[in-house]
């Protein structure tokens, strides 16, 4: 890792730059290396049958924060969690009869299920963006399956491209977009499907949240009824989801340089020495993002109705996603 010097983005650049991105072969040696990197909280791109995914340990706040940083995503939208089989998925989410039926019919394969999150699933809240549902997928690609088995834990993986660019279907595309920003890519050749997985919401009524590799008609045949299409993956509308977005009960005041009387202060950076909690005393964006959901929740409990003041966060890199979330927390609620 290189350190930036004399640069306003130094803190976030220092954690972004991994030096050279390793290109790994999909054999035992390459997969063992890839699994090791995931265990260290590093990012590894890998092939699935749909597109290449940018993988990180879904239980690690830091690894998930790095995914958003590497992609330069302007907001923390929820990510798909990849597991090797349905048994592993059942340890993370609650399966009803519908979920069992579609999982038996289409997993492994290009289908993602959005299901109620088990409270003891152990995922980073950044993966679900604070929702109480989770998107799960069992990929069919042999390299993806081998990596998930070697790693032995859930892997969060959006498509392995910078935000706003097309999804990669070759290791070369991943290198073109993310070289130097991720630890490694496992080269498994071209992706067969080439479009993302279909996302089926099963929190409440069955809903098609994103069209993809499995046709909606095939899901309707399996479930025996038509799918609603009202929800979208960007704006989940299933009951109970929006309310759990970690919007604090307390009023939130942004860009606070000091605490006003009676406030709880959620600080950022070395100047906020007096803060009740500090997202990152060293102004490290990855650390701040990793702490964000935990600290918002803790602040809300500790404030017990008092207003929460939040330090300014620089509007660059991961700071954009952090500020997006803070602005929502501060927005007037109906
Ligand atoms: O084919 C794919 O699915 C690829 C490969 C790499 O597996 N992955 C992928 O992941 O497309 P990602 O993280 O980019 O997909 C995220 C989508 C978003 O549109 C997000 O809103 C939706 O999944 N999603 C995730 N969790 C959700 C939830 N709890 N409720 C509703 N939508 C959710
Ligand atoms: Mg994508």
């Amino acid at each position: 890792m290189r350190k930036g010097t004399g640069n306003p983005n130094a803190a976030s650049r220092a954690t972004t730059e991994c030096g050279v991105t390793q290109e790994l072969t999909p054999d035992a040696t390459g997969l063992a290396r890839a699994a090791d990197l995931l265990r260290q909280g590093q990012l590894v791109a890998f092939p699935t049958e749909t597109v290449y995914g940018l993988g990180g340990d879904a239980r690690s706040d830091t690894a998930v924060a790095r995914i958003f940083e590497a992609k330069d995503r302007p907001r923390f939208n929820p990510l798909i969690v990849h597991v090797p089989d349905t048994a592993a998925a059942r340890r993370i989410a609650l399966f009803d009869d519908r979920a069992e039926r579609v999982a038996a019919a289409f997993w492994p394969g290009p289908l993602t299920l959005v299901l109620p999150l088990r409270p003891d699933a152990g995922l980073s809240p950044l993966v679900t963006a604070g929702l109480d549902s989770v998107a799960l997928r069992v990929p069919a690609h042999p390299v993806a399956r081998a990596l998930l088995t070697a790693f032995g834990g859930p892997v969060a993986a959006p498509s392995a491209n910078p935000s706003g660019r097309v999804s990669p279907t070759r290791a070369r595309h991943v290198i073109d977009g993310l070289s130097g920003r991720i630890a490694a890519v496992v080269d498994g050749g071209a992706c067969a499907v080439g479009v993302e997985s279909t996302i089926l919401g099963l929190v409440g009524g069955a809903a098609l949240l994103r069209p993809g590799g499995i046709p909606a008609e095939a899901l309707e045949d399996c479930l025996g009824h038509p799918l609603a299409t009202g929800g979208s993956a960007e704006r989940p509308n299933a009951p109970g989801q929006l309310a759990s977005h970690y919007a604090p009960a307390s009023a939130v005041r942004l860009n606070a340089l000091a605490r006003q009387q009676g406030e709880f202060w959620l600080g950022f950076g070395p100047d906020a020495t007096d803060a009740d909690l500090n997202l990152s005393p060293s102004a490290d964006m990855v650390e701040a993002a990793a702490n964000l959901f935990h600290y918002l929740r803790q602040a809300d409990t500790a404030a017990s109705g008092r207003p929460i003041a939040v330090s300014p966060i620089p509007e660059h890199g991961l700071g954009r996603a952090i500020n997006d979330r803070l602005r929502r927390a501060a927005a007037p609620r109906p």
Side-chain angles (χ1 to χ4, degrees), residues 87-241:
R90 286 195 200 99
R91 289 195 286 274
I92 293 175
L94 297 168
F95 276 63
D96 60 14
D97 290 348
R98 301 170 303 174
E100 291 290 353
R101 206 171 334 140
V102 287
F106 298 102
W107 277 354
L111 175 68
T112 293
L113 297 181
V114 174
L115 298 169
L117 175 67
R118 280 186 186 276
D120 60 351
L123 298 186
S124 165
L126 273 181
V127 171
T128 55
L131 296 168
D132 50 20
S133 56
V134 60
L136 285 168
R137 155 156 148 74
V138 177
H141 197 293
V143 174
R145 307 197 73 197
L147 177 60
L148 290 168
T149 304
F151 175 56
V155 171
S159 54
N161 52 283
S163 189
R165 304 256 296 271
V166 294
S167 298
T169 53
R170 306 266 190 294
R172 174 53 39 200
H173 303 166
V174 177
I175 292 290
D176 288 347
L178 295 174
S179 184
R181 300 180 70 88
I182 64 175
V185 54
V186 183
D187 189 346
C191 302
V193 177
V195 295
E196 273 91 347
S197 61
T198 301
I199 303 183
L200 175 65
L202 290 176
V203 178
L208 182 69
L209 300 181
R210 179 177 77 183
I214 300 278
E217 294 75 19
L219 296 171
E220 293 179 336
D221 284 350
C222 178
L223 289 167
H225 61 75
L227 296 175
T229 49
S232 88
E234 294 303 320
R235 295 184 156 273
N237 65 353
Q241 290 192 326

Side-chain angles (χ1 to χ4, degrees), residues 8-315:
N9 295 343
S12 83
R13 289 174 64 96
T15 45
T16 303
E17 293 179 11
C18 308
V20 177
T21 297
Q22 299 172 44
E23 297 183 49
L24 301 173
T25 45
D27 53 14
T29 312
L31 291 170
R33 175 78 188 133
D36 266 351
L37 288 166
L38 288 174
R39 265 178 224 115
Q40 292 163 24
Q42 300 294 329
L43 304 185
V44 176
F46 60 96
T48 80
E49 68 277 27
T50 59
V51 300
Y52 273 75
L54 177 53
D57 185 343
R59 302 161 298 190
S60 160
D61 296 313
T62 305
V64 180
R66 285 182 174 146
I67 291 177
F68 287 95
E69 185 189 51
K71 285 183 66 91
D72 202 18
R73 274 213 180 160
R75 64 178 50 122
F76 296 118
N77 56 335
L79 304 178
I80 296 174
V81 176
H82 297 65
V83 289
D85 50 39
T86 306
R90 286 195 200 99
R91 289 195 286 274
I92 293 175
L94 297 168
F95 276 63
D96 60 14
D97 290 348
R98 301 170 303 174
E100 291 290 353
R101 206 171 334 140
V102 287
F106 298 102
W107 277 354
L111 175 68
T112 293
L113 297 181
V114 174
L115 298 169
L117 175 67
R118 280 186 186 276
D120 60 351
L123 298 186
S124 165
L126 273 181
V127 171
T128 55
L131 296 168
D132 50 20
S133 56
V134 60
L136 285 168
R137 155 156 148 74
V138 177
H141 197 293
V143 174
R145 307 197 73 197
L147 177 60
L148 290 168
T149 304
F151 175 56
V155 171
S159 54
N161 52 283
S163 189
R165 304 256 296 271
V166 294
S167 298
T169 53
R170 306 266 190 294
R172 174 53 39 200
H173 303 166
V174 177
I175 292 290
D176 288 347
L178 295 174
S179 184
R181 300 180 70 88
I182 64 175
V185 54
V186 183
D187 189 346
C191 302
V193 177
V195 295
E196 273 91 347
S197 61
T198 301
I199 303 183
L200 175 65
L202 290 176
V203 178
L208 182 69
L209 300 181
R210 179 177 77 183
I214 300 278
E217 294 75 19
L219 296 171
E220 293 179 336
D221 284 350
C222 178
L223 289 167
H225 61 75
L227 296 175
T229 49
S232 88
E234 294 303 320
R235 295 184 156 273
N237 65 353
Q241 290 192 326
L242 292 176
S244 63
H245 239 94
Y246 289 8
S250 296
V252 174
R253 182 171 72 88
L254 300 180
N255 298 316
L257 294 171
R259 179 194 290 105
Q260 290 175 3
Q261 189 161 13
E263 284 181 334
F264 181 98
W265 188 15
L266 180 56
F268 173 83
D271 296 336
T273 46
D274 193 25
D276 295 286
L277 272 177
N278 194 320
L279 287 165
S280 173
S282 63
D284 178 322
M285 292 295 202
V286 170
E287 183 183 29
N291 285 331
L292 181 65
F293 285 82
H294 297 287
Y295 283 13
L296 275 178
R297 188 166 260 203
Q298 276 181 42
D300 205 28
T301 306
S304 62
R306 290 179 294 144
I308 299 170
V310 187
S311 290
I313 314 283
E315 184 76 12

